[in-house]
Amino acid sequence: MAEIKLLGVSLSPFTHRVEWALKTKGVEYELIVEDTKNKSPLLLESNPIHKKIPVLIHNGKPICESMVIIEYIDETFEGPSILPKDPYERAIARFWAKFLDDKCLPTMGKALLGEGEEQEKAKEECVELLKILDNELKHKKFFGGDQIGFADIAANALAFWMGIIEEASGVIWVTSEKFPNYCAWRENYNNCSQVKEYLPSRDELFTHFQSRFHSAAAPK
Amino acid sequence: MANDEVILLDFWPSMFGMRLRIALAEKEVKYESKEEDLRNKSPLLLQMNPVHKKIPVLIHNGKPICESIIAVEYIDEVWKDKAPLLPTDPYERAQARFWADYIDKKFFDSGRKIWTTKGEEQEAAKKDFIECLKVLEGALGEKPFFGGDNLGFVDVALIGFYSWFFAYETYGNFSTEAECPKFVTWAKRCMQRDSVAKSLPDQHKVLEFVQTLRKKYGIE
């Protein structure tokens, strides 16, 4: 039987992406929980370049970078396809995944968790990015169309984690008045059957971020 | 494929545009190249890449593909009968994608900082850049190309930067040949291929271009 190990942290959206992909394909794996403040020799050996999680180790061979891992999982294992088959559709899925992962996520992270001028600037940039996402989602339920796809998984942190962080901060500015399609997508994503059962504990995440804000704000 | 219309929106010194030039040449795809003036972007560019408004953009039968690595994968998938760029094995493909991501995230940034900064920041950038070259040399190993015996995905992703090395070396005051001779051997080997030689601009022209940019940004 193939040996599959995943080095990661369940509360991290990057690890979650890979867990979702493995579970979607029905692949059994062993999650090795990493302490990111005290990285294991296995992690440092498996990802010497970035020294980051997640790392998938398949039959002793490491694969790094969550979206690269997902493409590997899609190509290696049977089960529902994560990327479409048509080359043009694949290019579109990869485009949105990259935009969401490289641009939207870090900017929103700064907008919610940053401070001072950097936070203000990030918030302004975020509004523009959300307008783009809102427009893209005008005529479809998910970035992948009717079903969750590659780009939706790249946006997992935006859908689940960022909403929780916002609530924990006590300042909600991503509203359905301003971004109706984006908020509808977020709602659909968090509640759809392919994702819901694999999401980490909302309460655990909320508590973690709430203590970070030192805020007594109750969830709305 | 005989009635394909392929257009490339490009800008001559762009190492990202070079990727597509090389990929299309390797696959012997006929295409029309449209040179963009980035200070005055064409309506076509703004229409085809509304999210980023950047080159290169590949337009295949009227449909745009943006982001150079994504476009190279698309080219490889569509024109699959000639000069395959990605390997067939999923693990090897994951490695190739990993290195393409590394080039875009780490290598590009450190190179850019060499000519856009001064003093301590520039010294740090130079150190990072040489470190990146050494990492890439390690990934190359004893193979003639990153793709093995033939030019592959990572070679296509990386070689365009070589046309900028003269500029980096001039402003950074170092010699790649002295620091990383193996890298230079690889680059010269790539340059022997027609597809590469015809796709890269003259390094002196790139230096002149960087000089004008430095004046424009007030770096001098």
Side-chain angles (χ1 to χ4, degrees):
Chain A
M1 189 180 120
E3 191 201 54
I4 299 158
K5 290 186 163 81
L6 175 61
L7 308 184
V9 172
S10 269
L11 286 189
S12 160
F14 306 103
T15 303
H16 170 260
R17 286 172 181 171
V18 178
E19 290 205 88
W20 174 86
L22 289 167
K23 285 170 174 157
T24 296
K25 295 280 193 182
V27 174
E28 283 188 28
Y29 63 97
E30 182 194 350
L31 176 70
I32 298 177
V33 178
E34 279 287 330
D35 176 358
T36 52
K37 293 196 176 75
N38 186 20
K39 294 174 183 180
S40 72
L42 180 61
L43 173 57
L44 298 176
E45 184 191 293
S46 308
N47 191 357
I49 304 292
H50 300 301
K51 305 176 175 56
K52 283 180 171 179
I53 51 107
V55 179
L56 187 77
I57 307 178
H58 187 197
N59 293 333
K61 299 201 287 192
I63 301 108
C64 309
E65 293 300 307
S66 59
M67 299 314 290
V68 173
I69 298 171
I70 292 181
E71 290 219 41
Y72 174 80
I73 290 168
D74 204 26
E75 289 175 5
T76 305
F77 303 104
E78 299 288 312
S81 282
I82 299 170
L83 270 165
K85 298 276 184 244
D86 172 69
Y88 188 71
E89 298 303 318
R90 290 158 74 82
I92 297 300
R94 286 176 179 137
F95 174 86
W96 286 103
K98 186 179 167 66
F99 180 64
L100 289 156
D101 197 24
D102 285 359
K103 194 95 187 114
C104 299
L105 182 56
T107 309
M108 194 174 275
K110 282 194 190 123
L112 291 171
L113 297 167
E115 276 164 6
E117 223 184 277
E118 195 198 46
Q119 186 186 32
E120 279 314 303
K121 205 168 154 232
K123 223 166 160 177
E124 279 169 25
E125 219 189 311
C126 223
V127 168
E128 292 312 307
L129 296 175
L130 286 169
K131 282 183 190 161
I132 293 172
L133 297 179
D134 202 64
N135 185 55
E136 177 61 17
L137 291 163
K138 218 176 353 188
H139 302 297
K140 50 190 190 183
K141 194 173 174 190
F142 299 109
F143 288 100
D146 293 327
Q147 303 270 356
I148 296 269
F150 188 68
D152 298 279
I153 281 308
N156 68 342
L158 289 167
F160 189 70
W161 275 257
M162 293 298 149
I164 295 170
I165 296 172
E166 241 196 317
E167 281 193 39
S169 77
V171 181
I172 310 273
W173 51 273
V174 182
T175 63
S176 47
E177 285 81 33
K178 283 188 255 171
F179 313 108
N181 306 312
Y182 176 80
C183 289
W185 163 78
R186 200 168 57 169
E187 193 65 26
N188 285 325
Y189 178 91
N190 290 331
N191 288 307
C192 83
S193 57
Q194 296 141 291
V195 168
K196 198 167 180 182
E197 59 180 293
Y198 304 140
L199 286 170
S201 156
R202 201 188 173 285
D203 291 339
E204 216 180 321
L205 272 176
F206 183 83
T207 309
H208 168 82
F209 284 109
Q210 195 180 40
S211 63
R212 200 167 155 165
F213 288 115
H214 303 291
S215 162
K220 292 205 173 131
Chain B
M1 293 284 142
N3 296 321
D4 274 332
E5 187 202 48
V6 182
I7 297 170
L8 175 63
L9 304 184
D10 202 354
F11 180 49
W12 69 269
S14 165
M15 52 283 257
F16 306 104
M18 289 174 217
R19 290 169 171 174
L20 274 71
R21 289 173 226 165
I22 298 169
L24 290 165
E26 284 284 313
K27 305 280 186 178
E28 291 175 15
V29 175
K30 287 191 169 57
Y31 69 97
E32 183 192 346
S33 180
K34 286 188 195 246
E35 185 72 8
E36 283 286 330
D37 174 358
L38 298 182
R39 293 159 303 180
N40 186 22
K41 294 174 180 178
S42 72
L44 183 62
L45 173 57
L46 299 177
Q47 183 198 6
M48 292 287 141
N49 192 358
V51 173
H52 298 295
K53 307 175 177 52
K54 285 182 172 181
I55 58 92
V57 180
L58 182 77
I59 310 173
H60 185 202
N61 295 330
K63 299 202 285 193
I65 300 100
C66 308
E67 297 296 323
S68 60
I69 290 297
I70 293 172
V72 171
E73 275 216 63
Y74 175 82
I75 290 166
D76 201 33
E77 288 174 13
V78 170
W79 289 278
K80 57 184 184 289
D81 296 327
K82 188 149 183 68
L85 297 172
L86 270 171
T88 47
D89 173 67
Y91 182 74
E92 297 304 322
R93 289 159 75 82
Q95 296 313 299
R97 288 180 180 128
F98 174 87
W99 288 113
D101 179 70
Y102 177 83
I103 291 162
D104 275 356
K105 299 230 168 86
K106 293 241 166 165
F107 190 60
F108 172 69
D109 258 348
S110 63
R112 190 168 196 281
K113 284 198 176 122
I114 292 176
W115 64 268
T116 56
T117 64
K118 288 196 275 205
E120 253 178 62
E121 215 186 328
Q122 189 188 46
E123 276 309 302
K126 201 168 102 181
K127 202 163 153 258
D128 276 344
F129 182 76
I130 291 167
E131 180 57 41
C132 282
L133 287 181
K134 295 203 157 94
V135 167
L136 289 164
E137 277 185 332
L140 178 66
E142 299 308 311
K143 307 191 294 294
F145 298 102
F146 287 89
D149 291 327
N150 294 303
L151 207 71
F153 190 70
V154 179
D155 304 277
V156 172
L158 186 55
I159 190 58
F161 288 81
Y162 190 59
S163 63
W164 281 65
F165 274 35
F166 185 51
Y168 295 153
E169 288 168 346
T170 303
Y171 289 110
N173 192 30
F174 67 97
S175 154
T176 320
E177 181 96 54
E179 302 280 350
C180 303
K182 208 167 146 188
F183 189 91
V184 175
T185 306
W186 162 80
K188 287 182 173 162
R189 186 177 297 124
C190 287
M191 294 295 289
Q192 283 173 357
R193 284 194 72 79
D194 244 12
S195 62
V196 175
K198 291 190 171 146
S199 300
L200 265 57
D202 177 79
Q203 58 183 4
H204 295 93
K205 288 213 166 80
V206 173
L207 179 65
E208 267 172 43
F209 172 69
V210 173
Q211 272 165 350
T212 50
L213 281 183
R214 279 169 60 98
K215 286 203 181 91
K216 186 173 148 189
Y217 297 152
I219 303 167
E220 298 277 85

